[in-house]
C-alpha cells in the first residue's frame, strides 16, 4: 500500500478558511452562524496566543471566556504543546486495551495528591462523561437510583447528565429522562425532605454554578454532606468548570472547611487546551463496588479514555500550574478584578451586583431607579429577559475587542472566566472598556439603546 502524502492544512485553510460560516451553516448547526451574524460576533479569528485572539488584520482581542473554561493556561502554552508533541514522537503503544500504560497512573497520582480523601480516578473524554461516570458510580455504590440536583444547574447534555440539568430549555424535546429530582440551591430543608424518602443515591452540585455564577450559602456544602452521609447517600461535586484552579483553590469545594466529596468531576482546564479529557475522582470503596470482580473489569470504560496525548496534556497542565503559580494567580488577580468591578456598583444604577470567586466572576444588572433608564429597561424586560446584558456584551466586542458572554438564557448576568494567566494589565483593559460601555448605557440614548431596540424587535418577532 502506498503511503499517503501529508495533508497540507495550511494550504487548505488558506484556500477555504473564508468559507467558515457558509460551511457551518450548510453542514453543522445552522443556528450558530445565524446567531453570530445577528449580534455581530461573526469575526474571522486567524490565530490565538495566551489570553488573546488576532484577526487577519492583526487586531488583538482579549478573551474573557477561555473557551467556556478550557483554556486556563491561555491558548497554545508552549509547555503543554511540547508535551503533546513529545508523546507523539515517542510512538507509544497506546490504548492496547491489554496493558497498563504508566501515563494514566502518573496523572491520577498527581490529581489525587491535590484532592485529600479521594483515592482513584476514572478518565474519560469530557465533562459530561465525567458526570455520567459519577452518576453511574453513585447508583452502583449505594444501590439506590435517584440523584438530586439543584435548580439552574448545568452538568452536561448527554442523556444521563441532562437528567440532572436544572435548566428546562436544555431538557425540552429530549424527555423522558432519568427520574432525578431538583432542589433549590442552598435549601437544606428541601434536601432533608427528599432524603427521607430513602431512595436517594447522591446529590450532585456545582460549588459555584456556572449559570449566573451563584454559590450556596457558606457552610451549606458541609451541612449537605453530613445529611447525605447520614442517609447513606453521596456528595458529588461537579468541578468541570470551577476546578483545576479556576476559583483560586485547586477545587472550589476546598474553600469550605470540612467538605470531602465522595466523587468529584473535572475536565475542561485539565486538557491544557489541546486534548479533550474528563476525570472522575472518587474513594476506593466506590470504585471497588463498581469494579467488584474480574468479570466486571470493563463494566464502565471509554474508548479514548486514558489516551497518551490526553494524559500528556494533563500532566503538562499540572506541571505548568505548579511552576508558574497559576492557582495563586487566579486567587490574587481574581480578588483585584472583582473588587474593581464591585466598586462600580455605587457609580452605575444599572449595575446590581458583582460576585464570584477567583477568576469566575458574575456581573449582574438590575432595574434602575431613574425614570429615563427605567423606561428602556422595562421595554427590554418585556421583550425578553437578558437583552440588556447582551447590549453590554456586543459593544465590548465591537468597540473594545473583548469577548464575553451572557451567563445563561434569560439572565441579566455577564460571566467572566478568562484564562488563569491574566494579569493586572488585562484587568485594567477590561475595567476601562466596561466603564466606557456603562457610561454609554447610562446616557439612556445612543448606539447601545438603538441596538437594544433592534434586539427587542427580534425577540418579539421570534415569538
Amino acid at each position: 500500500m502506498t503511503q499517503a502524502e501529508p495533508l497540507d492544512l495550511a494550504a487548505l485553510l488558506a484556500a477555504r478558511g473564508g468559507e467558515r460560516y457558509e460551511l457551518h451553516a450548510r453542514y453543522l448547526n445552522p443556528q450558530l452562524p445565524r446567531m453570530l451574524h445577528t449580534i455581530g460576533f461573526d469575526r474571522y479569528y486567524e490565530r490565538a496566543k495566551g489570553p488573546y485572539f488576532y484577526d487577519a488584520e492583526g487586531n488583538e482581542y482579549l478573551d474573557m471566556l477561555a473557551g467556556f473554561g478550557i483554556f486556563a493556561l491561555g491558548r497554545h502554552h508552549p509547555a503543554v504543546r511540547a508535551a503533546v508533541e513529545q508523546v507523539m514522537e515517542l510512538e507509544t503503544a497506546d490504548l492496547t486495551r491489554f496493558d497498563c500504560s504508566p501515563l494514566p497512573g502518573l496523572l491520577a497520582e498527581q490529581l489525587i495528591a491535590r484532592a485529600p480523601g479521594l483515592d482513584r480516578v476514572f478518565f474519560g473524554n469530557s465533562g459530561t462523561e465525567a458526570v455520567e461516570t459519577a452518576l453511574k458510580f453513585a447508583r452502583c455504590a449505594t444501590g439506590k437510583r435517584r440523584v438530586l440536583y439543584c435548580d439552574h444547574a448545568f452538568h452536561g447534555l448527554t442523556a444521563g447528565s441532562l437528567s440532572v440539568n436544572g435548566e428546562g430549555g436544555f431538557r425540552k424535546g429530549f424527555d423522558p429522562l432519568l427520574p432525578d429530582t431538583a432542589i433549590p440551591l442552598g435549601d437544606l430543608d428541601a434536601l432533608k425532605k427528599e432524603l427521607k424518602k430513602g431512595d436517594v443515591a447522591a446529590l450532585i452540585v456545582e460549588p459555584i454554578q456556572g449559570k449566573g455564577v451563584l454559590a450556596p450559602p457558606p457552610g451549606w456544602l458541609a451541612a449537605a454532606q453530613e445529611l447525605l452521609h447520614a442517609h447513606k447517600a453521596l456528595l458529588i461535586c461537579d468541578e468541570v468548570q470551577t476546578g483545576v484552579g479556576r476559583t483560586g483553590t485547586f477545587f472550589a469545594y476546598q474553600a469550605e472547611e470540612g467538605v470531602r466529596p465522595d466523587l468529584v468531576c473535572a475536565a475542561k482546564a485539565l486538557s491544557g487546551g489541546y486534548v479533550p479529557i474528563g476525570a472522575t475522582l472518587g474513594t476506593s470503596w466506590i470504585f471497588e463496588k463498581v469494579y467488584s470482580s474480574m468479570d466486571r473489569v470493563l463494566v464502565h470504560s471509554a474508548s479514548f479514555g486514558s489516551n497518551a496525548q490526553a494524559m500528556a496534556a494533563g500532566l503538562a497542565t499540572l506541571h505548568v500550574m505548579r511552576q508558574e503559580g497559576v492557582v495563586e494567580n487566579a486567587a490574587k488577580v481574581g480578588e483585584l478584578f472583582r473588587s474593581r468591578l464591585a466598586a462600580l456598583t455605587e457609580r452605575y444604577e444599572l449595575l446590581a451586583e458583582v460576585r464570584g470567586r477567583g477568576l469566575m466572576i458574575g456581573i449582574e444588572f438590575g432595574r434602575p431607579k431613574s425614570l429615563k433608564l427605567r423606561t428602556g429597561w422595562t421595554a427590554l424586560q418585556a421583550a425578553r429577559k437578558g437583552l440588556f446584558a447582551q447590549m453590554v456584551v456586543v459593544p465590548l466586542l465591537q468597540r473594545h475587542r473583548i469577548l464575553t458572554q451572557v451567563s445563561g438564557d434569560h439572565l441579566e448576568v455577564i460571566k467572566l472566566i478568562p484564562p488563569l494567566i491574566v494579569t493586572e494589565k488585562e484587568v485594567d483593559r477590561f475595567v476601562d472598556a466596561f466603564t466606557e460601555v456603562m457610561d454609554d448605557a447610562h446616557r439612556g440614548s445612543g448606539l447601545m439603546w438603538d441596538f437594544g431596540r433592534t434586539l427587542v424587535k427580534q425577540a418579539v418577532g421570534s415569538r
Side-chain angles (χ1 to χ4, degrees), residues 92-334:
T92 62
D94 195 22
L95 300 177
T96 68
R97 302 303 175 193
F98 292 99
D99 80 335
C100 290
S101 169
L103 290 176
L106 291 169
L107 180 55
E109 182 180 60
Q110 292 277 330
L111 287 171
I112 292 304
R114 291 163 171 80
L118 301 177
D119 308 299
R120 298 181 184 276
V121 183
F122 174 86
F123 288 115
N125 307 286
S126 66
T128 194
E129 202 170 328
V131 169
E132 295 278 357
T133 299
L135 298 179
K136 287 179 67 177
F137 281 28
R139 287 182 164 103
C140 182
T142 63
K144 302 174 184 179
R145 294 295 173 261
R146 197 159 57 102
V147 175
L148 306 180
Y149 61 97
C150 295
D151 292 333
H152 310 299
F154 184 91
H155 297 294
L157 298 176
T158 49
S161 60
L162 189 60
S163 300
V164 291
N165 191 315
E167 174 52 55
F170 287 112
R171 300 165 67 99
K172 186 177 180 181
F174 301 108
D175 294 326
L177 299 168
L178 299 176
D180 297 325
T181 305
I183 63 170
L185 180 68
D187 191 330
L188 282 177
D189 289 334
L191 176 60
K192 289 177 186 176
K193 181 180 177 181
E194 296 300 328
L195 286 171
K196 285 179 180 178
K197 297 176 183 179
D199 62 342
V200 172
L203 166 70
I204 184 168
V205 61
E206 301 155 282
I208 302 175
Q209 288 187 337
K211 182 179 171 66
V213 192
L214 296 169
W220 183 79
L221 270 181
Q225 173 184 271
E226 185 175 351
L227 279 171
L228 288 160
H229 288 173
H231 289 81
K232 295 181 169 43
L234 308 181
L235 174 62
I236 305 170
C237 280
D238 179 351
E239 297 262 9
V240 169
Q241 188 164 102
T242 57
V244 195
R246 168 63 52 191
T247 63
T249 51
F250 191 80
F251 287 120
Y253 75 80
Q254 292 168 335
E256 186 171 321
E257 187 175 353
V259 178
R260 290 286 182 92
D262 303 285
L263 292 159
V264 174
C265 306
K268 289 187 183 290
L270 190 59
S271 70
Y274 274 98
V275 186
I277 184 173
T280 307
L281 290 68
T283 57
S284 283
W285 79 267
I286 294 174
F287 274 66
E288 288 162 5
K289 282 276 191 177
V290 174
Y291 301 109
S292 56
S293 68
M294 285 194 289
D295 289 343
R296 291 175 61 82
V297 66
L298 295 177
V299 72
H300 184 75
S301 61
S303 294
F304 287 94
S306 300
N307 72 82
Q309 289 81 12
M311 300 299 99
L315 284 164
T317 296
L318 299 184
H319 170 77
V320 169
M321 287 190 158
R322 181 176 62 252
Q323 292 283 316
E324 297 185 6
V326 172
V327 180
E328 295 79 6
N329 186 71
K332 178 182 175 182
V333 176

Side-chain angles (χ1 to χ4, degrees), residues 39 82 88 184 272 343:
I39 64 174
M88 289 191 290

Side-chain angles (χ1 to χ4, degrees), residues 331-341 423-424 427-428:
K332 178 182 175 182
V333 176
E335 177 58 32
L336 170 68
F337 207 169
R338 193 169 58 257
S339 63
R340 296 242 346 240
L341 290 169
T423 66
E424 189 171 350
V427 172
D428 289 342

